[in-house]
Amino acid sequence: MCGIVGYIGKNKANEILINGLLKLEYRGYDSAGIAVIENNEIVCKKDKGRVRNLYNLEGINELESTIGIAHTRWATHGKPSMVNAHPHLDNHNTFAVVHNGIIENYHELREELIKKGYKFYSETDTEVIPNLVNYYYKEEKDLLKAVNKACKDLKGSYAIEVISKDEPDKIVVARKDSPMVIGVAGNDKYVASDIPAVLEYTRDFYLLADGEFVELTRDEIKFYDEDLNNIEKKIEKIEWSEKATSKEGYEDYMLKEIYEQPKSIRETIGSRLKENEKCQFDDIEIDKNYLQSINKIKIVACGTAMYAGLVAKNTFERLLKIDTEVDVASEFRYRDPLIDEKTLAIFISQSGETADTIAALKLAKHKKCKTIAVSNVIGSSITREAHYTIYTHAGPEIAVASTKAYTSQVVLLELLAIHFAEVLENNSEEIETLKDEILQLPKKVEEALKTGEEVKELANEIYAQKDVFFIGRGIDFTVTKEASLKLKEISYIHSDAYQAGELKHGPIALIENGITVIGIISDKKLVKKSVSNLQEVITRGANVIVVTDKDLSKYNFKKIIKVPETNKLLSPILTVIPMQLLAYYVSKAKGLDVDKPRNLAKSVTVE
Ligand code: G6P
């Protein structure tokens, strides 16, 4: 969850490191620090709070070193504090380490090291690493070998960078179950947990796999496997532009990403769907025989990605007539799910690094399912595990709360369902309508975005509320889940989403005078039912806001937000837009940090 940057080259490291951390704050932002080697000594500067606080630390701007490591933290072991912030040093200030992930056996390792005379100052799991490296260095006298030996003692997940004053022109990097990339531009070399951190310096990256080690010097990069055998790796060209990772004049990344959706959806559709043609998925080879042989589709993910799966379930079941279940990855992986070679398992992850989703995928493979990863990040961990990967191509998403990644995931899954239906030769008029409607989505999303001003006014009316409820039926219920998550994530207002028909079974007891209830209505067949449920809460004093593509002006709702009409199965892509904007503007009205909500991180790389 934390962010890592590293640099070795000819320029001043402090500027590159802090600049990189600023771009990674979406991964964690409760403390930050850097360590460089200056005059053959390790100089470490760190503090709790945001990355920008680093600029205020005495002497940091004067550092001349051209090698260094850096970290922005999302606390797991030990509260945010200067002592718990990374980098961590060994007892002799010879080695400095930054770490992402969790060392599960740190308690035992710490006890053993204490017996050997080491002292610990922080509450973190990370502090065992520099001391272990120190311990092994005594016999190995080689940084890479000492790090490798230390890693063999570690259980859990890690992406680490290590520097040593005894080998002052070297960074050693290792990864297991936590992402890490190496960027190169001539003799300048960059290390990062996420590509955007160093995208302004290079597009050429080596993507590390689990168990790999790297030794970076000014002249060379050497890659090794877990037993330190030399390995060759290929450079990957990353097409994301630097512009894509800047705010481009928007006040916040989230707002920029919301308004980017017509473009990101266009990119997702790409060449997969063209007018009057079949849907093309060159990246997967799934034939009619296979699809006829399966009896279940499992969609597994976390958070917003899981809600994208909920939307798609409707289309898979409708077009393929195959039972489709959606599961939360952290539950699925521990439940001994009933899956086998007759299950097609689809895993959705924007970052491709979510620990639970990756573990769930490994389990599905173990149980003989065919697996497909849906991801936004080229070469991310999940894409290396799955049999097939399909990319959303939504461009980098920086705001912690996901918006454009969600709509792109939904669009991609809709296309996949259509593709499978065509492979199965389940041709129908509905498929042709769906295809036409998908091609019109970017324009319709543009229309839906025009609700911005009225949604902002609404946000200014409701931002002081303590609770907000969202209700809907069928496909509309799937949107209420995402709408409610968005609102609570960034505005800290308690909110809940219910199937409209379930209200009477409990939640209606919470409805009182002046409370806001938001209804989503797009399914023609269910309009009357949903309207009745909303009338029931109006009777009990609720202020009802409705997001709809229907003409509901004859009803006594406090406000109706209209979005363009489309096929029912695609309506979530349009009804969610005002809900994203609502969460954004409520958060702004409360004066909160929209892009970096408290306690949250963009990609959850720990269980
Ligand atoms: C975190 C993020 C969410 C995201 C979820 C799954 O909770 O804050 O926005 O939906 O992780 O992330 P993934 O990268 O797997 O889609």
Side-chain angles (χ1 to χ4, degrees), residues 16 36 76 80 165 193 251 298 333 365 387-388 435 453 472 477 483 502 535 540 598 606:
I16 293 165
V36 300
T76 57
K165 69 172 187 174
S193 51
E251 221 171 298
K298 265 274 177 197
R333 62 181 289 198
K365 268 169 79 184
H387 292 110
Y388 306 109
K435 284 160 62 174
E453 271 313 303
F477 169 65
E502 271 292 292
Q535 295 301 347
R540 285 157 182 86
R598 71 181 178 208
V606 294

Side-chain angles (χ1 to χ4, degrees), residues 300-491:
V300 184
C302 300
T304 289
M306 194 269 291
Y307 293 144
L310 277 187
V311 177
K313 164 189 160 79
N314 290 271
T315 314
F316 279 100
E317 290 194 333
R318 185 160 176 92
L319 302 189
L320 309 182
K321 309 287 177 243
I322 300 175
D323 186 22
T324 305
E325 294 168 357
V326 182
D327 230 313
V328 173
S330 55
E331 292 292 316
F332 172 87
R333 62 181 289 198
Y334 293 117
R335 212 189 42 236
D336 200 9
L338 297 176
I339 49 172
D340 53 26
E341 69 283 356
K342 292 194 167 183
T343 310
L344 169 63
I346 303 176
F347 298 84
I348 315 168
S349 176
Q350 186 283 129
S351 63
E353 303 295 347
T354 301
D356 282 319
T357 311
I358 296 170
L361 191 152
K362 288 181 182 163
L363 173 71
K365 268 169 79 184
H366 179 72
K367 294 204 170 224
K368 310 233 164 1
C369 306
K370 223 181 242 302
T371 58
I372 300 179
V374 175
S375 183
N376 195 34
V377 180
I378 312 284
S380 56
S381 302
I382 204 167
T383 67
R384 279 181 259 151
E385 290 291 341
H387 292 110
Y388 306 109
T389 296
I390 49 177
Y391 287 106
T392 41
H393 298 302
E397 192 180 64
I398 308 290
V400 167
S402 179
T403 53
K404 65 173 182 173
Y406 166 83
T407 46
S408 280
Q409 285 159 351
V410 175
V411 170
L412 188 58
L413 290 163
E414 299 291 329
L415 290 170
L416 186 66
I418 293 171
H419 170 64
F420 286 162
E422 289 180 334
V423 171
L424 280 168
E425 297 176 70
N426 287 358
N427 300 329
S428 71
E429 218 171 279
E430 186 172 22
I431 292 183
E432 295 314 310
T433 318
L434 265 176
K435 284 160 62 174
D436 285 348
E437 283 294 334
I438 289 177
L439 289 172
Q440 290 179 48
L441 275 176
K443 276 252 155 300
K444 292 192 177 179
V445 170
E446 252 164 53
E447 280 300 306
L449 284 165
K450 292 188 182 150
T451 57
E453 271 313 303
E454 55 175 330
V455 171
K456 189 173 176 180
E457 277 169 31
L458 173 65
N460 289 333
E461 286 167 32
I462 70 162
Y463 76 94
Q465 298 249 325
K466 289 236 168 340
D467 311 281
V468 172
F469 291 96
F470 292 85
I471 62 170
R473 285 171 177 262
I475 196 93
D476 296 321
F477 169 65
T478 67
V479 186
T480 64
K481 294 296 286 178
E482 172 58 8
S484 168
L485 178 70
K486 221 66 322 161
L487 185 70
K488 62 168 84 78
E489 274 184 308
I490 58 167
S491 78

Side-chain angles (χ1 to χ4, degrees), residues 86-106:
H86 299 219
H88 287 281
L89 271 61
D90 67 309
N91 285 179
H92 301 95
N93 291 350
T94 306
F95 304 95
V97 171
V98 295
H99 163 226
N100 272 0
I102 289 184
I103 306 305
E104 287 164 3
N105 58 338
Y106 85 101

